[in-house]
Amino acid sequence: MSLPRCSLLWARLPAGRRAGPRAAACSALRAHVGPLPGARGRVPALVAAASSYSSSSGGSKAPNTSLFVPLPVKPQGPSADGDVGAELTRPLDKNEVKKILDKFYKRQEIQKLSADYGLDARLFHQAFISFRNYIMQSHSLDVDIHIVLNDICFSAAHVDDLFPFFLRHAKQIFPVLECKDDLRKISDLRIPPNWYPEARAMQRKIIFHSGPTNSGKTYHAIQGYLSAKSGVYCGPLKLLAHEIFEKSNAAGVPCDLVTGEDRVTVDPDGKQAAHVACTVEMCSVTTPYEVAVIDEIQMIRDPARGWAWTRALLGLCAEEVHLCGEAAAIDLVTELLYTTGEEIEVHKYKRLTPISVLDHALESLDNLRPGDCIVCFSKNDIYSVSRQIEIRGLESAVIYGSLPPGTKLAQAKKFNDPNDPCKILVATDAIGMGLNLSIRRIVFYSLIKPSINEKGEKELEPITTSQALQIAGRAGRFGSHFKEGEVTTMHREDLGLLKEILNKPVDPILAAGLHPTAEQIEMFAYHLPETTLSNLIDIFVDFSQVDGQYFVCNMDDFKFSAELIQHIPLSLRVRYVFCTAPINKKQPFVCSSLLQFARQYSRNEPLTLAWLRRYIKWPLLPPKNIKDLMDLEAVHDVFDLYLWLSYRFMDMFPDTGPVRNLQKELDAVIQDGVHNITKLIRISESHKFLNLENLPSGIQMHMSGTLKSQTRRTRSTKSVGTRPEAPLDPSTGELPLASRLVQQGLLTPDMLKQLQKEWLAQHPEQGKEKTGTRRKKKDPNSD
């Protein structure tokens, strides 16, 4: 090799990486070029550097490294300039290199040093495997690492000299290691009041209207809202926002409506009114108002939506902010506002009408009276109770969460109408807020409700005191046909537990929800450009720091959508918006629609009315069974999704008006289906769409002794899945006890099988009788 060629290759070595004395193969080069820099990186020096790094990192909590997903680093192929390292030294012997790398991996000093740089045992192992594969599979290595490996082979360098190259590779596959301090600063959520400078520039007056359901607290807050020159009402539901919208305009106060899926301006020219009724997520924290009302402030603790109430409380620019909700939120709100320098004025109210817990359970649907509302916590219970009521010649209205708002209002109107023969209501806790209902007596069909805890885990547990009071308070409301309210349970064994729940004090609210903003996620993505959005969220939540008065809301739904559309090419901001779209992930058609909408968007193909009609196969037929009804509800949710996206991407979802008209047509079809729901249930049963299992009555008797002890548990974590529903007991017209226990999550199918074996072992004659029955059916002459 010529001297000019050697000089040129030597000049290509990066400054600071021309490490240590070289092997004999480079002796001629040294003689002509001069001595090489002699700073050889040894472990003591590197440890000192690592110690300095650790001390400057601020002592924050150790990150959860299981969230760090390694990025692939491809081995280097043949270089156009040839293998420069091999020309300077010699080609590497891969077997020797492998021995060197294995020795490097086993050195305790290297493992400890790696830990100082954020590589725990798991990351160190993953990084080493990737580093080894890169070294062994590359056709040509960078000059610096090639020379160091060659020197180690000739004992002219130490194996520890590989650490800088290993660390460089580790930061390539785990970019979080390079920017941990920046990520911690971005995800610092410890002073939320500072996020709203416009609100902090005002001296707001905060008034808390506290009281139980039907105490008039919201009424008093709305009076201030209506009398103000400008105002905003923030409610938890579209129905509540729509109710205030109508009340305000009926009172001669022009008011606009803003929800995720709807924008209504009362001015024919589209000019915004001074008053607006909105869902809490949609409130503006930059528009100045004279009065703001935040309804159901206790929902600031909600694991998924609490961030919206926190944002409204801290960020609304209003001279007066009226809060309505449970007394349990007063202490937390007072503490949060203490950090803003704002004082809180508390007004307490008592219930306007009396309500009493009865000393006897309903026990049988034969004891139903006009004005009764049976509250269930599953659709299966809704269907079975409705069917049992029909068997008794009675008519019932039905309300549950997934019904469209228009259908809920239609069913409420039907139940409230004194001239309508429908006098019984079967509902879920969806009646807890947003509907004006004339109820005499609340009957809890069950006290076990599926829920999701702060970790995102599904649970089956008794309802809380707050939930029980919210639902029970719907009986005997002021202004309804009934001046007093009553509460009881369907089953005698639940009544004691209900009284116990209602007599407990409501647990104080300890923390308020927070949520990362799109800007924060964008800054995370700037530092971690190759990381998926779902993984970004995980890392953000893990790195986030919050004060004791706050918590980061559960983001499982966001992550579900992020993973669903991850493979679709979208910009980060657009992807973020799609992931915040509210969808029911239990509805496969809604999930696939989000995917299809995102795919169309990525192709820059507008989603027109004609496209949407083809996609949903419009026109849709009236439901013939329960499955058809549920399918129509899913389509209604798809319309909601379209409308929600249309206000974020107007050019790509252009047909907002026509789609809304289509949705109204569908709402009418669903209303007819719900009106005939018992007929749909009968058809579903006959076609076995409701796969219900009946068990021998003897087994029910065997299990009855366990019910009281099981229902009195304070907490029971179980997996919530779809449970088959049993047909009605022909003797009572009600569900068998075994089926009720399965529905309530108190027993599992495996437990039922075990109980059946035990009972049959104790009553062998029943087993023989059952076997004989089967044999008779097999006998062709038995017909």
Side-chain angles (χ1 to χ4, degrees):
M1 183 167 58
S2 66
L3 180 61
R5 171 69 171 158
C6 290
S7 301
L8 177 62
L9 295 176
W10 178 250
R12 288 180 180 176
L13 289 178
R17 290 184 181 170
R18 301 163 185 164
R22 299 295 174 238
C26 291
S27 58
L29 180 62
R30 292 195 193 96
H32 290 282
V33 180
L36 306 179
R40 181 183 301 161
R42 280 290 180 269
V43 165
L46 291 173
V47 169
S51 300
S52 172
Y53 170 86
S54 298
S55 64
S56 66
S57 64
S60 301
K61 65 175 182 178
N64 178 8
T65 58
S66 66
L67 302 176
F68 300 173
V69 178
L71 300 177
V73 176
K74 293 182 179 180
Q76 293 191 124
S79 172
D81 294 333
D83 193 341
V84 176
E87 291 186 45
L88 282 172
T89 58
R90 60 160 191 153
L92 294 172
D93 184 331
K94 293 293 186 178
N95 290 326
E96 291 181 20
V97 170
K98 186 176 183 303
K99 292 177 182 178
I100 292 170
L101 293 174
D102 289 343
K103 183 178 179 181
F104 173 84
Y105 176 75
K106 293 175 182 178
R107 279 183 58 76
Q108 293 295 322
E109 294 85 347
I110 292 297
Q111 295 180 22
K112 291 177 182 177
L113 185 59
S114 298
D116 289 334
Y117 280 88
L119 288 163
D120 61 12
R122 193 187 71 87
L123 294 189
F124 176 75
H125 178 74
Q126 286 184 289
F128 174 76
I129 296 300
S130 177
F131 181 62
R132 185 180 63 185
N133 292 340
Y134 174 79
I135 296 292
M136 300 299 292
Q137 296 174 15
S138 291
H139 287 274
S140 60
L141 295 169
D142 291 339
V143 178
D144 48 4
I145 190 171
H146 184 108
I147 293 177
V148 169
L149 284 168
N150 185 75
D151 284 357
I152 296 172
C153 289
F154 282 93
S155 301
H158 195 278
V159 68
D160 293 342
D161 290 338
L162 285 175
F163 183 78
F165 305 103
F166 168 72
L167 184 62
R168 181 176 66 186
H169 185 88
K171 289 180 177 179
Q172 278 185 279
I173 67 170
F174 295 116
V176 178
L177 300 173
E178 191 78 88
C179 53
K180 285 194 294 185
D181 290 342
D182 289 332
L183 297 181
R184 283 198 175 95
K185 291 176 183 177
I186 296 168
S187 58
D188 191 338
L189 308 178
R190 286 178 292 186
I191 315 178
N194 290 354
W195 304 348
Y196 310 102
E198 293 92 342
R200 299 293 76 78
M202 304 175 66
Q203 188 59 41
R204 305 182 305 172
K205 181 180 180 182
I206 313 295
I207 302 171
F208 196 122
H209 301 269
S210 165
T213 304
N214 194 30
S215 60
K217 56 186 184 293
T218 306
Y219 170 82
H220 286 89
I222 293 299
Q223 295 311 300
Y225 165 84
L226 294 175
S227 61
K229 295 178 182 177
S230 62
V232 58
Y233 168 84
C234 307
L237 299 172
K238 289 183 284 186
L239 282 174
L240 282 170
H242 198 274
E243 179 184 344
I244 300 302
F245 164 74
E246 291 187 332
K247 281 185 177 179
S248 184
N249 285 296
V253 179
C255 176
D256 293 341
L257 175 68
V258 177
T259 69
E261 301 82 10
D262 208 357
R263 308 285 189 279
V264 179
T265 55
V266 291
D267 188 284
D269 297 328
K271 182 181 177 182
Q272 293 185 352
H275 287 70
V276 60
C278 64
T279 45
V280 66
E281 286 89 350
M282 299 304 299
C283 70
S284 168
V285 292
T286 57
T287 305
Y289 299 102
E290 185 177 340
V291 169
V293 177
I294 306 175
D295 208 354
E296 306 293 351
I297 187 63
Q298 73 275 1
M299 290 189 71
I300 201 169
R301 68 180 164 200
D302 188 88
R305 297 179 65 201
W307 64 269
W309 277 264
T310 304
R311 173 176 172 271
L313 174 65
L314 299 177
L316 280 173
C317 301
E319 298 171 24
E320 278 188 14
V321 180
H322 293 256
L323 312 175
C324 307
E326 297 175 2
I330 294 176
D331 289 345
L332 175 64
V333 170
T334 303
E335 288 183 31
L336 298 183
L337 296 178
Y338 178 79
T339 63
T340 68
E342 295 166 323
E343 295 184 358
I344 181 171
E345 178 183 313
V346 179
H347 296 174
K348 294 187 177 180
Y349 304 88
K350 294 183 178 180
R351 184 176 168 87
L352 298 174
T353 56
I355 187 169
S356 58
V357 182
L358 301 180
D359 291 327
H360 57 274
L362 189 69
E363 297 197 61
S364 170
L365 295 178
D366 293 329
N367 299 324
L368 285 172
R369 302 194 310 243
D372 279 351
C373 171
I374 302 179
V375 177
C376 308
F377 295 115
S378 75
K379 276 190 180 179
N380 281 342
D381 287 346
I382 290 280
Y383 299 150
S384 62
V385 171
S386 301
R387 181 78 174 91
Q388 293 170 48
I389 290 174
E390 186 203 34
I391 290 174
R392 287 162 171 78
L394 301 175
E395 189 174 341
S396 63
V398 174
I399 296 175
Y400 50 86
S402 60
L403 286 177
T407 304
K408 291 177 185 173
L409 290 171
Q411 289 290 297
K413 182 179 179 181
K414 176 183 177 182
F415 173 71
N416 289 337
D417 186 354
N419 298 320
D420 195 290
C422 171
K423 302 299 181 185
I424 309 296
L425 176 63
V426 184
T428 64
D429 55 339
I431 65 165
M433 58 180 73
L435 291 169
N436 293 315
L437 296 163
S438 186
I439 299 172
R440 178 204 301 270
R441 180 172 58 174
I442 291 286
V443 179
F444 285 93
Y445 189 73
S446 166
L447 296 175
I448 306 299
K449 179 185 177 182
S451 64
I452 298 177
N453 64 18
E454 60 278 0
K455 297 179 181 179
E457 299 168 339
K458 294 179 180 179
E459 297 179 342
L460 281 174
E461 56 184 0
I463 58 175
T464 65
T465 300
S466 177
Q467 292 167 335
L469 290 171
Q470 184 81 26
I471 298 169
R474 308 305 291 181
R477 287 181 62 84
F478 182 78
S480 71
H481 303 311
F482 308 107
K483 304 305 178 186
E484 295 184 10
E486 298 174 342
V487 184
T488 188
T489 59
M490 179 68 193
H491 309 293
R492 186 189 311 170
E493 48 270 29
D494 287 341
L495 189 55
L497 179 58
L498 176 62
K499 291 181 178 180
E500 185 181 322
I501 292 173
L502 291 174
N503 288 331
K504 283 183 181 178
V506 178
D507 293 333
I509 299 173
L510 302 177
L514 295 175
H515 191 286
T517 64
E519 291 75 20
Q520 289 170 318
I521 299 302
E522 281 182 335
M523 286 190 283
F524 251 56
Y526 172 79
H527 289 283
L528 306 172
E530 302 300 322
T531 306
T532 66
L533 181 54
S534 176
N535 195 214
L536 279 177
I537 293 297
D538 281 333
I539 297 173
F540 184 98
V541 172
D542 182 61
F543 273 64
S544 63
Q545 302 173 72
V546 295
D547 290 331
Q549 299 163 333
Y550 298 95
F551 67 92
V552 180
C553 284
N554 181 285
M555 299 192 66
D556 283 353
D557 288 349
F558 184 98
K559 286 172 52 186
F560 174 84
S561 297
E563 291 165 3
L564 186 68
I565 64 173
Q566 179 56 43
H567 63 287
I568 298 177
L570 298 167
S571 69
L572 180 68
R573 180 57 71 100
V574 170
R575 189 180 302 278
Y576 181 92
V577 172
F578 267 90
C579 292
T580 54
I583 65 169
N584 182 356
K585 61 184 181 183
K586 296 179 182 177
Q587 289 276 14
F589 183 62
V590 179
C591 297
S592 63
S593 298
L594 177 70
L595 184 64
Q596 188 63 33
F597 288 0
R599 185 176 289 117
Q600 286 289 110
Y601 185 100
S602 71
R603 296 169 180 162
N604 200 29
E605 298 177 3
L607 290 92
T608 62
L609 176 67
W611 180 93
L612 187 62
R613 287 171 64 100
R614 288 195 303 273
Y615 175 71
I616 63 172
K617 297 179 173 59
W618 188 271
L620 301 174
L621 298 174
K624 297 179 180 178
N625 51 57
I626 290 297
K627 182 182 179 300
D628 289 349
L629 180 62
M630 294 174 66
D631 290 344
L632 293 180
E633 292 170 10
V635 175
H636 193 280
D637 287 348
V638 170
F639 285 148
D640 268 347
L641 176 62
Y642 182 99
L643 295 171
W644 192 93
L645 291 168
S646 73
Y647 289 107
R648 279 81 181 168
F649 307 110
M650 296 183 182
D651 55 335
M652 297 300 292
F653 296 82
D655 293 333
T656 305
V659 170
R660 192 178 307 284
N661 293 334
L662 215 61
Q663 189 182 44
K664 290 178 180 177
E665 290 183 39
L666 177 60
D667 199 341
V669 175
I670 294 175
Q671 285 184 36
D672 289 341
V674 174
H675 181 74
N676 299 311
I677 193 167
T678 51
K679 178 181 177 182
L680 302 183
I681 294 170
R682 283 200 310 273
I683 296 173
S684 298
E685 286 179 347
S686 64
H687 289 79
K688 297 185 179 179
F689 291 130
L690 292 177
N691 184 19
L692 311 180
E693 180 184 7
N694 198 3
L695 294 174
S697 57
I699 298 178
Q700 300 163 28
M701 295 293 291
H702 181 73
M703 293 187 297
S704 62
T706 67
L707 180 61
K708 189 172 182 179
S709 61
Q710 289 280 3
T711 56
R712 287 187 177 275
R713 62 188 180 159
T714 57
R715 186 180 183 88
S716 176
T717 303
K718 294 179 183 287
S719 173
V720 182
T722 56
R723 294 186 301 273
E725 175 123 8
L728 308 179
D729 188 329
S731 62
T732 64
E734 299 180 2
L735 276 178
L737 178 59
S739 301
R740 293 206 307 269
L741 290 174
V742 172
Q743 287 181 0
Q744 295 169 9
L746 302 176
L747 290 176
T748 66
D750 289 340
M751 293 168 65
L752 283 177
K753 290 178 182 178
Q754 183 63 31
L755 286 168
Q756 186 174 16
K757 289 179 181 178
E758 293 175 4
W759 186 83
L760 290 175
Q762 296 172 13
H763 303 81
E765 68 283 358
Q766 292 289 335
K768 293 177 181 177
E769 180 182 341
K770 193 172 183 180
T771 304
T773 303
R774 287 201 196 101
R775 287 174 179 169
K776 283 183 180 180
K777 288 182 179 179
K778 290 181 180 179
D779 185 352
N781 296 324
S782 63
D783 291 334

